[in-house]
């Protein structure tokens, strides 16, 4: 019996070793089988593995990190497929049922003697110690840290691809033709590049390198960059056409989005397929058809687009136009020039109706007078209440508009009753538990202190801490030491539970709900930059709305116009609640540079509003005429002043859709991205003038919020004593 036992033991050991093979031991002749999903090739530290996986009922060969695929070998495989490392050095994926080669490395006859999967996730075929082929040099849809993404490489996902241009910019395309996104470059990149490449640092910073650079240039920061915890970050081109940076904690098996190239998913060309309409349900993009004149191509997958129930060839001469309000057909290069015409909204519809080659049109209604006439091929639609544009689709009559969203009232009423009962029960339980907790908390000082210390652990991790109003009352000693005050409220010095000093802003006049306030806190806290004051936490309790920032010892506003650091601090510490606020801050920025109110009308401005006159002088390159003459006593960086003027013109655009988001404002002021020439600001109506003036006044007041140690001759005091009000306010103009 002993020999038999020995044979069984050896057989067991052999089976165990065959299911887990160290990267250093992968030799020609090794094979992985789809029928054995537990068999894989692993990296030395077991961080990465290569084998068959099942993704949405489809089998692939992939390199994975905690079951997250970061490289795939070609397309889908059948249940009997095998992944073969042949004796001739070729690596291939073969379907077992047909014998068809799904994918291969084309390395036969090149002296390949071994393969390995290293601890960085790179699978390499080697001739001795020389790399013949690697997954890093042949990426699928993902870039890992230490992976070099250069000019001759491409990420692909379905119809979407990512390429690096010789200018150093990244470009996203649909179907190899439509360019719907280009990355912005740091303003420091001015030289002609010779061999650019993109790399992702383990810290979460996407960098651009070139032999002409002294060092790599940072182009994108993930929201959790510089976090040194055991996290893998990677760049991935997803199947929805968006490029994202993800982070995944070791052992979690989950991935979190830390940055997205296209912030508005509906702006990705082709997201909802041909003739599909992309819109949002809450914050989730959804796809639908323009009207009941269309059917979904695949009812199980709304992203595959729509088709006409009656084709246009069956109603020649009787076709009509279906109107889609607040909608536009996405038009990007190379279609941008060939499909654009100057015509009004009526002409935009009628010209398409009369033109046999036109199937749809969009009147932008953004003041440009532009109309896009779409031809057969592929039409990608975006609909949102925020869009001013109107679109038209040619259909065979009659027009069958989609039913209103209020259908199914009776069912919803019953669902509402059930929901109310369930919610009432849950609420009652929560109130009982909450009451017990509050009683314990109130009667246990130690528990209260521990809670504060625990909350500050969130601060150390980078997450915004939620403080109670009593905690901030205690930290500010009853809001005793006031640092400053502005239109949005006062700021007080605070000492937190971990003994760190903070600045607490008590917001006033901010009328918004709990959900909106928390969303804005999340947005502010996710914006990280070396020169931005960090948001530590917040309080949202009843009517109390407070923001807690890092304390800045030198809060002088004198240097705002002259140094980037103070400029960014100012922007970071103003409460950004909407694009109307961006408008207000643009006004303030122009006032600071010019020392004059934007709605001032005087002989010096040719009896025009100052902002309009200033733009005319800007177009004449007469920047000196715009700049406050009192700044001549300072060493003014005119390049920085010019940047501030251009940014202010972008911020005060009449259409909110043309105004940049606050994050982009900071990037433009910092010189991280180039500033395109702003359009001329349009004259606002009298009603909007008065409303905006109030916001601007509040913003000017808010500039003093963090000026705790401002010297006597500060910029804010200059405005108060000899500043804006000292100029003529239009009394001499008629």
């Amino acid at each position: 019996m002993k020999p038999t036992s020995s044979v069984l033991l050896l057989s067991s050991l052999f089976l165990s070793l065959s299911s887990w093979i160290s990267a250093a031991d992968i030799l020609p002749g090794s094979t992985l089988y789809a029928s054995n999903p537990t068999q894989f090739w692993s990296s030395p530290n077991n961080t990465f593995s290569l084998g068959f996986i099942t993704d949405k009922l489809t089998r692939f060969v992939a390199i994975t990190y905690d079951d997250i695929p970061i490289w795939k070998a070609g397309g889908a495989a059948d249940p009997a497929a095998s992944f073969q490392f042949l004796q001739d050095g070729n690596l291939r994926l073969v379907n077992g049922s047909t014998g068809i080669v799904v994918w291969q490395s084309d390395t036969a006859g090149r002296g390949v003697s071994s393969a390995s999967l290293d601890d960085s996730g790179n699978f390499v075929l080697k001739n001795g110690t020389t790399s013949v082929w690697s997954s890093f040099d042949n990426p699928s849809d993902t870039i890992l840290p230490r992976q070099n993404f250069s000019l001759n490489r491409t990420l692909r996902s379905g119809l979407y691809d990512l390429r690096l241009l010789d200018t150093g910019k990244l470009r996203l395309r649909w179907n190899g033709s439509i360019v719907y996104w280009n990355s912005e470059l740091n303003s420091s990149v001015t030289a002609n590049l010779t061999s650019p490449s993109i790399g992702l640092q383990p810290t979460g910073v996407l960098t651009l390198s070139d032999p002409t650079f002294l060092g790599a240039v940072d182009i994108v920061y993930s929201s959790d960059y510089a976090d040194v915890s055991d996290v893998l970050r990677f760049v991935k081109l997803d199947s929805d056409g968006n490029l994202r940076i993800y982070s995944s904690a070791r052992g979690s098996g989950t991935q979190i989005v830390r940055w997205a190239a296209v912030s508005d998913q509906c702006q990705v060309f082709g997201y909802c397929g041909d003739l599909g309409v992309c819109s949002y349900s809450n914050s989730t993009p959804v796809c639908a058809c323009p009207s009941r004149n269309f059917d979904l191509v695949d009812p199980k997958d709304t992203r595959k687009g729509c088709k006409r129930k009656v084709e246009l060839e069956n109603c020649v001469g009787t076709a009509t136009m279906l109107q889609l309000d607040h909608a536009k057909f996405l038009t990007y290069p190379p279609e941008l020039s060939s499909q654009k015409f100057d015509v009004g909204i009526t002409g935009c519809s009628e010209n398409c109706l009369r033109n046999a080659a036109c199937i749809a049109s969009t009147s932008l209604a953004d003041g440009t007078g532009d109309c896009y006439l779409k031809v057969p091929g592929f039409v990608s639609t975006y609909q949102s209440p925020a869009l001013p544009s109107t679109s038209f689709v040619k259909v065979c009559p009659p027009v069958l508009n989609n039913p209103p969203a209020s259908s199914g009232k009776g069912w919803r009423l019953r669902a509402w009753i059930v929901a109310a009962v369930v919610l009432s029960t849950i609420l009652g339980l929560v109130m009982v538990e909450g009451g017990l907790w509050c009683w314990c908390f109130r009667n246990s000082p130690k528990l209260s202190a521990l809670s504060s210390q625990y909350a500050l652990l969130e601060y150390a991790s980078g997450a915004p801490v939620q403080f109670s109003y009593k905690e901030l009352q205690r930290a500010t000693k009853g809001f005793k030491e006031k640092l400053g005050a502005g239109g949005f409220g006062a700021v007080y010095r605070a000492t937190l539970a971990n003994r760190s000093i903070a600045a607490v802003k008590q917001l006033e006049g901010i009328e918004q709900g709990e959900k909106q306030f928390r969303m804005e806190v999340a947005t502010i806290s996710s914006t990280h930059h070396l020169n931005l004051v960090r948001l530590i936490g917040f309080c949202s309790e009843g009517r109390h709305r407070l923001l807690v920032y890092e304390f800045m010892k030198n809060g002088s506003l004198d240097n705002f116009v002259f140094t980037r650091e103070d400029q960014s601090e100012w922007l970071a510490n103003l409460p950004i609640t909407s694009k109307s606020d961006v408008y207000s801050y643009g006004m303030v920025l122009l006032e600071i540079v010019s020392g004059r109110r934007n709605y001032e009308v005087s002989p010096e401005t040719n009896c025009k509003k100052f902002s309009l006159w200033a733009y005319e002088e800007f177009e004449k390159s007469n920047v000196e005429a715009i700049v406050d003459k009192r700044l001549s006593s300072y060493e003014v960086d005119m390049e920085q002043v010019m940047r501030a003027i251009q940014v202010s013109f972008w911020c005060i655009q009449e259409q909110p859709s043309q105004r940049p988001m606050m994050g982009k404002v900071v990037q433009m002021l910092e010189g991280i991205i180039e500033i395109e020439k702003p359009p001329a600001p349009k004259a606002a109506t009298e009603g909007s003038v008065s409303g905006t003036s109030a916001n601007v006044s509040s913003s000017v007041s808010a500039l003093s919020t963090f000026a705790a140690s401002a010297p006597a001759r500060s910029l804010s005091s200059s405005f108060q004593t000899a500043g804006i009000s000292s100029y003529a306010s239009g009394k001499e103009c008629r």
Side-chain angles (χ1 to χ4, degrees), residues 356-394:
C358 179
I359 61 170
S361 61
T362 291
S363 177
L364 295 185
D366 60 355
T368 62
D370 289 343
C371 166
Y372 293 122
L373 300 183
K374 310 299 291 184
V375 297
F378 198 97
V379 176
S380 183
T381 315
Y382 178 20
Q383 189 167 35
S384 167
L387 293 175
S389 50
T390 302
S391 294
F392 306 91
V393 185
K394 190 180 292 184

Side-chain angles (χ1 to χ4, degrees), residues 87-150:
Q87 294 290 349
D88 63 6
N90 198 26
L91 189 67
R92 68 179 191 177
L93 173 61
V94 180
N95 271 338
S97 59
T98 61
I100 294 175
V101 177
V102 177
W103 174 90
Q104 60 182 335
S105 61
D106 291 323
T107 51
R110 297 175 62 181
V112 175
S113 57
S114 65
S116 66
L117 177 61
D118 64 30
D119 289 335
S120 64
N122 188 19
F123 188 76
V124 186
L125 301 180
K126 296 179 289 187
N127 181 347
T129 58
T130 304
S131 174
V132 175
W133 179 96
S134 73
S135 59
F136 273 15
D137 290 337
N138 297 270
S140 55
D141 58 7
T142 303
I143 302 172
L144 293 175
R146 303 185 184 89
Q147 183 172 355
N148 192 33
F149 187 72
S150 55

